[in-house]
Amino acid sequence: MSKLTIGDVVPDFEAPATSDLNFKLSDYKGKSNLVIYFYPKDSTPGCTTEGKDFSALHDQFKSLDTEIFGVSKDSMKRHDNFKTKQAFPFDLISDIDSDVCEQFGVWQLKKTFGKEYMGIVRSTFLIDKDGVLRQVWDNIRVKNHVNDVLEAVKAL
């Protein structure tokens, strides 16, 4: 599948999520904007900070009819533990088979200390109530990122 670009209608997908939720993108059409952020691994420093940053501004996102979902390849058990330990007010989607990551183009070849491997490139996607991709942040740095996302939601 080709990479999604701004202005595309995001194809529907379904995946398990915390809170015994079966996330389905089309369930939010006409109801909520969506912030879907992809991160490498539960309970790591950068991913924990990013989740806490989204948590801190969660009420502001909600007041703008925007739901937040985090996505990684971690199991539901790891997601449940991570969400509970960090008291995240939003749900985490499990993408063990990389289907969602591949749909969004974030499952990529990475390189660390000369070693190449496949992994999730930290990225965030803003989808409006009509299911249209409005903004993409690729290969982001955690610091101040959530504030940038909130400003983009306000601009919708």
Side-chain angles (χ1 to χ4, degrees):
M1 171 175 238
S2 61
K3 190 173 179 182
L4 293 170
T5 56
I6 293 173
D8 287 350
V9 172
V10 179
D12 199 15
F13 68 90
E14 214 172 319
T18 52
S19 303
D20 291 323
L21 179 68
N22 184 39
F23 176 91
K24 189 171 183 182
L25 183 67
S26 57
D27 288 346
Y28 297 88
K29 193 167 186 177
K31 299 176 188 169
S32 301
N33 302 307
L34 295 174
V35 169
I36 300 178
Y37 76 96
F38 291 82
Y39 63 95
K41 191 166 182 62
D42 288 347
S43 301
T44 57
C47 300
T48 300
T49 298
E50 186 175 22
K52 285 181 173 182
D53 289 351
F54 273 115
S55 292
L57 297 179
H58 185 259
D59 288 344
Q60 291 182 54
F61 280 102
K62 288 290 279 186
S63 72
L64 297 166
D65 294 326
T66 303
E67 298 287 339
I68 299 167
F69 291 91
V71 183
S72 78
K73 289 178 54 68
D74 291 294
S75 68
M76 287 306 306
K77 183 177 181 181
R78 284 187 60 94
H79 272 349
D80 284 330
N81 291 340
F82 186 41
K83 180 184 176 192
T84 299
K85 182 177 181 181
Q86 300 303 329
F88 292 153
F90 52 84
D91 287 299
L92 303 175
I93 297 170
S94 178
D95 186 33
I96 291 175
D97 296 330
S98 306
D99 295 337
V100 179
C101 291
E102 289 181 23
Q103 176 176 327
F104 282 82
V106 302
W107 185 244
Q108 299 176 17
L109 186 65
K110 296 171 80 174
K111 193 173 189 175
T112 303
F113 302 115
K115 182 183 173 200
E116 290 186 339
Y117 61 96
M118 292 301 290
I120 293 175
V121 174
R122 190 183 306 276
S123 305
T124 302
F125 296 80
L126 174 57
I127 303 167
D128 70 14
K129 291 179 183 179
D130 295 322
V132 175
L133 182 62
R134 302 296 238 137
Q135 185 99 24
V136 177
W137 294 266
D138 283 323
N139 202 19
I140 62 109
R141 299 285 178 243
V142 173
K143 188 175 182 178
N144 295 320
H145 171 62
V146 174
N147 293 318
D148 295 341
V149 176
L150 182 61
E151 289 306 311
V153 170
K154 288 177 181 177
L156 287 179

